[in-house]
Amino acid sequence: MRDSMPKWADILLIPFLNLLLALIVSGLVVAFIGEDPFEVLGLLVEGAVGSADGWSYTLYYATNFIFTGLGVAVAFHARMFNIGGEGQALLGGLGVALMLLWVPWPHWTLALIAAMLGAGAFGAFWASIPAYLQAKRGSHIVITTIMFNFIASALMVYLLSRVLLAPGAGGSPETARFAAATNLPSIADLYALLGLGCVERPFASVCRAPLNIAFPLALLSALGVWLLLWRTKLGYEIRAFGHSEPAALYAGISSTRIVMIAMTISGALCGLMAINSVMGEGERLVIDPVQGAGFVGIAVALMGRSHPLGVCIAALLFGMLYQGGGYVEFDIPAISREMILVIQALVILFTGALDNMVRLPVERLFLSMRRSPSRKDAG
């Protein structure tokens, strides 16, 4: 029945209907607590895209979600559910910190290459262990990746409080700040190149935003994933394995090889998220640089239909929800942080678990539209 629906409906129409349903239910929840849903929606949009600094923060959050969403999407194509993006991004942050603390890089361009290698390698290593356990021991990838999130969290607490703790940091487990030469160019530096100052409004607030050069890197990663999946033999093998494991095995594709490679790439992409949050925004490693982006990546991949373009669009939507949610929370005290989480959870619910509630009727509609002309011809 899936062939009865055009590609644009699968990529655009169904996610739009899912999002519309999520917003309607969210509006009912907001109305239930006595607030005006249209005012809340207006403030959410205004906070996310109504100003230059709103856009800056939205794109900063979207950068995190693009990396983790791409990571989850690659595993999806091999029919694996990588829940461990949170832990892989944490280990990616460790790779960034070690690269930048141990080597005195003279320029940020060299430091960026090293940090990307460190983040990708550590994230890939963390994902390769559950992959090996599934490929060789039959362990379920969902269970092992969840467990590895907790192990990564405990490992980071130990390392930051006992091994990498900055002298004089007191009760705040964090490393020393990275050298100034390794700081990534931010949007403030872009403004400076354009001859615009950061003193007067609106540039003052914009220049405080953490948006940095990691955003174009995330877009390039999306392009790279598209080329890998749809323009290479390896990508074809990953997708073939995901569509039908018996057929892939019959064609000579090794299941162990595909599981290991797909999960390693997935972990590397999740680890690269640390470039934005650790090297770009924090400029040091703190106790939780990921802040849930690994889990949001699952919803982003689901909503984006595991296509790099869809992932970028879904990441932008969730970036708007994050930034706009904080704006609403500030203006309407009745809309708490937990309420914003409820709205985000409803979006995840409708785009993930309840996807078939919309998909099946839409598929039947397109199928009936295709059958109608043949009936007329027969008459």
Side-chain angles (χ1 to χ4, degrees):
M1 184 176 285
R2 286 177 183 273
D3 293 338
S4 65
M5 189 167 56
K7 197 71 176 176
W8 64 266
D10 185 32
I11 295 176
L12 296 176
L13 180 61
I14 290 182
F16 172 76
L17 292 175
N18 286 329
L19 178 63
L20 185 63
L21 285 173
L23 289 178
I24 291 173
V25 176
S26 301
L28 293 175
V29 173
V30 171
F32 181 76
I33 64 171
E35 297 294 337
D36 183 355
F38 295 102
E39 182 188 1
V40 171
L41 180 61
L43 283 172
L44 193 148
V45 174
E46 180 186 343
V49 297
S51 62
D53 58 324
W55 267 109
S56 301
Y57 277 96
T58 295
L59 293 179
Y60 167 75
Y61 292 124
T63 303
N64 291 337
F65 303 148
I66 289 174
F67 279 122
T68 55
L70 289 173
V72 176
V74 169
F76 273 164
H77 280 287
R79 208 174 56 178
M80 287 183 292
F81 207 60
N82 180 14
I83 308 288
E86 193 82 1
Q88 291 147 22
L90 271 175
L91 266 290
L94 179 62
V96 170
L98 294 180
M99 283 289 185
L100 300 186
L101 290 173
W102 287 354
V103 181
W105 300 102
H107 196 268
W108 67 266
T109 50
L110 297 175
L112 176 60
I113 296 171
M116 290 179 68
L117 291 174
F122 274 65
F125 166 72
W126 206 245
S128 68
I129 303 173
Y132 177 82
L133 292 174
Q134 166 154 327
K136 292 293 187 180
R137 302 293 179 188
S139 303
H140 201 291
I141 200 79
V142 172
I143 305 299
T144 50
T145 48
I146 289 175
M147 291 171 61
F148 269 69
N149 284 337
F150 290 106
I151 297 172
S153 180
L155 178 64
M156 292 297 288
V157 170
Y158 170 76
L159 290 176
L160 286 176
S161 60
R162 301 291 181 86
V163 182
L164 299 172
L165 182 66
S172 174
E174 60 184 35
T175 66
R177 278 193 173 275
F178 305 143
T182 65
N183 293 347
L184 290 181
S186 66
I187 192 169
D189 299 312
L190 176 62
Y191 269 68
L193 285 175
L194 296 175
L196 301 172
C198 283
V199 178
E200 298 181 358
R201 298 179 67 186
F203 304 122
S205 58
V206 172
C207 291
R208 287 196 297 269
L211 181 64
N212 58 72
I213 200 171
F215 177 66
L217 290 178
L219 297 181
L220 287 175
S221 299
L223 177 61
V225 169
W226 180 80
L227 290 172
L228 168 70
L229 291 175
W230 278 278
R231 290 293 184 270
T232 66
K233 179 186 176 187
L234 175 62
Y236 178 81
E237 290 177 341
I238 291 175
R239 290 186 293 121
F241 181 81
H243 279 294
S244 173
E245 182 176 351
L249 293 174
Y250 185 74
I253 298 173
S254 166
S255 60
T256 302
R257 174 173 164 268
I258 294 299
V259 167
M260 290 298 299
I261 291 177
M263 276 299 291
T264 301
I265 296 172
S266 175
L269 287 165
C270 292
L272 284 174
M273 194 218 90
I275 295 297
N276 189 40
S277 60
V278 176
M279 187 179 184
E281 195 256 339
E283 296 174 353
R284 65 190 188 288
L285 181 60
V286 296
I287 196 67
D288 184 19
V290 185
Q291 296 186 341
F295 296 117
V296 176
I298 300 169
V300 168
L302 283 171
M303 191 170 187
R305 296 295 177 264
S306 298
H307 191 285
L309 178 60
V311 166
C312 291
I313 295 172
L316 180 62
L317 170 68
F318 276 87
M320 290 171 62
L321 286 174
Y322 260 63
Q323 169 57 19
Y327 192 83
V328 171
E329 182 184 358
F330 183 78
D331 273 35
I332 304 179
I335 306 296
S336 62
R337 187 66 191 166
E338 287 71 23
M339 182 59 67
I340 300 301
L341 286 175
V342 168
I343 295 173
Q344 293 167 353
L346 285 169
V347 174
I348 295 171
L349 180 68
F350 278 93
T351 56
L354 301 181
D355 178 71
N356 278 339
M357 189 177 71
V358 173
R359 178 178 296 276
L360 293 179
V362 173
E363 284 180 341
R364 291 193 188 99
L365 176 64
F366 277 100
L367 189 63
S368 65
M369 291 169 64
R370 284 189 174 184
R371 286 174 176 169
S372 297
S374 60
R375 288 176 180 173
K376 288 179 182 178
D377 293 341

